[in-house]
Amino acid sequence: MLKAVMFDCYNTLLRYESQEDKDRIWEMMLEAIQYMTEKELAVTPDELETLYQTACDREERECIAKHGIHAEVSFSRAWLEVLTRLNIPEKMAEEKAEDMLLVFRLYTRKQKHLFPNVKEELLKLKKRGMKLLLLSNAQTCFIYNELPEEIRILFDEIMISENMGIKKPSEDLFKIAFKRLKMKPEEIVFVGDSAQDDMIPSGRLGCHCVMIGREKKSDSELSHVIHFNPYKELGYAGLCDIIVSMEK
């Protein structure tokens, strides 16, 4: 008997695209830092980009050393290092690091919106007694700023890779989710858009799987997957019925 549904977030519930304007992004970020800290900085946009990439590389190395190959980085910590190297006072740097991450996210965003009928289908699943868990490879501040609260509150559990220190496709992350739900994998449906991060590891562990996408992927490793296309006018309409049919 199916008792829970686990969802990925980006391009599963929330349609998201980013696009960096390399000619402008670091110039805009420099302007943002100066505005938000009220400091004039003797650094060029190219130097700022180098500082950020260096900080990200260091953060990744440290996270992998601590958590292994599927470690998740904290880009807020990377921005904290950047601000510190720019001689921003420690307290201010700590206060502004997450803000800078969100500004960077805003500047690189191309589109962000929920697929149609997401809320309605989640409510149908809950009405049937299903537990809902969100399992996303993401920065914590992204989820709480980009996924509407009316959707977040429908989930019984929210697991974000930045908080966990590891990310999908780590099977350890899925196993933690099973423990939080207090359920066996065969009692759970996983809904996600990535073959490597979502479908293959969750299927290997015994979950039922629904893959989000425009077209069904023909791959032997995805033979266990049911395809669902929300890129249509009615979006998520019908997902609950598909999940219920998987019990038969």
Side-chain angles (χ1 to χ4, degrees):
M1 180 179 177
L2 297 178
K3 298 180 179 179
V5 186
M6 292 167 49
F7 285 88
D8 176 43
C9 180
Y10 291 99
N11 292 318
T12 295
L13 298 171
L14 191 68
R15 189 174 176 185
Y16 191 92
E17 290 184 52
S18 61
Q19 178 177 311
E20 278 191 32
D21 181 350
K22 281 287 188 180
D23 295 333
R24 280 282 292 150
I25 181 65
W26 293 104
E27 181 180 336
M28 292 190 297
M29 287 306 300
L30 180 56
E31 292 172 355
I33 294 172
Q34 292 183 135
Y35 175 79
M36 295 174 71
T37 63
E38 299 182 343
K39 303 284 184 182
E40 285 293 331
L41 302 175
V43 63
T44 68
D46 286 344
E47 289 169 339
L48 178 60
E49 179 182 10
T50 298
L51 281 174
Y52 179 67
Q53 294 301 332
T54 299
C56 287
D57 290 345
R58 182 177 293 105
E59 169 71 9
E60 183 175 22
R61 288 195 302 271
E62 291 178 357
C63 288
I64 289 175
K66 183 176 181 180
H67 295 290
I69 190 171
H70 296 308
E72 179 65 288
V73 302
S74 169
F75 292 109
S76 292
R77 285 199 295 265
W79 276 111
L80 175 58
E81 179 177 330
V82 170
L83 295 177
T84 300
R85 290 183 175 274
L86 292 173
N87 296 317
I88 304 301
E90 181 180 356
K91 184 177 180 180
M92 181 182 290
E94 291 174 350
E95 291 173 350
K96 300 297 184 183
E98 186 175 290
D99 292 338
M100 296 317 306
L101 176 58
L102 289 171
V103 169
F104 185 83
R105 180 78 161 178
L106 179 62
Y107 284 166
T108 58
R109 181 186 302 157
K110 185 177 179 181
Q111 70 164 321
K112 172 189 71 70
H113 61 263
L114 280 173
F115 284 109
N117 292 308
V118 162
K119 183 178 180 179
E120 290 80 358
E121 293 300 302
L122 294 180
L123 286 171
K124 286 179 183 178
L125 289 168
K126 289 185 73 69
K127 192 172 182 178
R128 286 184 170 272
M130 298 276 194
K131 294 286 187 181
L132 302 181
L133 183 146
L134 185 72
L135 181 60
S136 179
N137 283 356
Q139 301 294 291
T140 305
C141 63
F142 293 171
I143 294 294
Y144 285 91
N145 279 274
E146 295 173 347
L147 188 64
E149 183 179 9
E150 65 175 344
I151 302 300
R152 293 199 313 273
I153 62 174
L154 298 179
F155 286 90
D156 300 281
E157 294 277 351
I158 294 179
M159 291 174 55
I160 305 170
S161 58
E162 183 189 16
N163 288 341
M164 307 303 295
I166 54 176
K167 62 185 177 182
K168 298 176 292 183
S170 170
E171 291 187 1
D172 289 339
L173 193 58
F174 289 92
K175 291 174 182 176
I176 294 170
F178 302 157
K179 287 181 180 179
R180 289 197 178 183
L181 289 170
K182 298 179 181 178
M183 294 176 192
K184 300 175 182 177
E186 56 266 28
E187 297 174 319
I188 300 169
V189 177
F190 194 93
V191 182
D193 71 303
S194 170
Q196 295 301 318
D197 290 345
D198 300 326
M199 300 294 97
I200 293 175
S202 62
R204 185 185 298 126
L205 290 168
C207 293
H208 304 269
C209 296
V210 176
M211 187 169 185
I212 298 296
R214 293 181 184 275
E215 298 179 357
K216 184 176 182 178
K217 295 184 182 294
S218 55
D219 188 319
S220 60
E221 288 190 286
L222 300 176
S223 60
H224 63 292
V225 167
I226 291 178
H227 171 254
F228 182 76
N229 176 20
Y231 291 88
K232 55 189 187 300
E233 185 178 353
L234 295 178
Y236 256 61
L239 178 67
C240 178
D241 291 339
I242 287 175
I243 290 173
V244 171
S245 72
M246 297 170 77
E247 289 190 292
K248 299 175 182 178

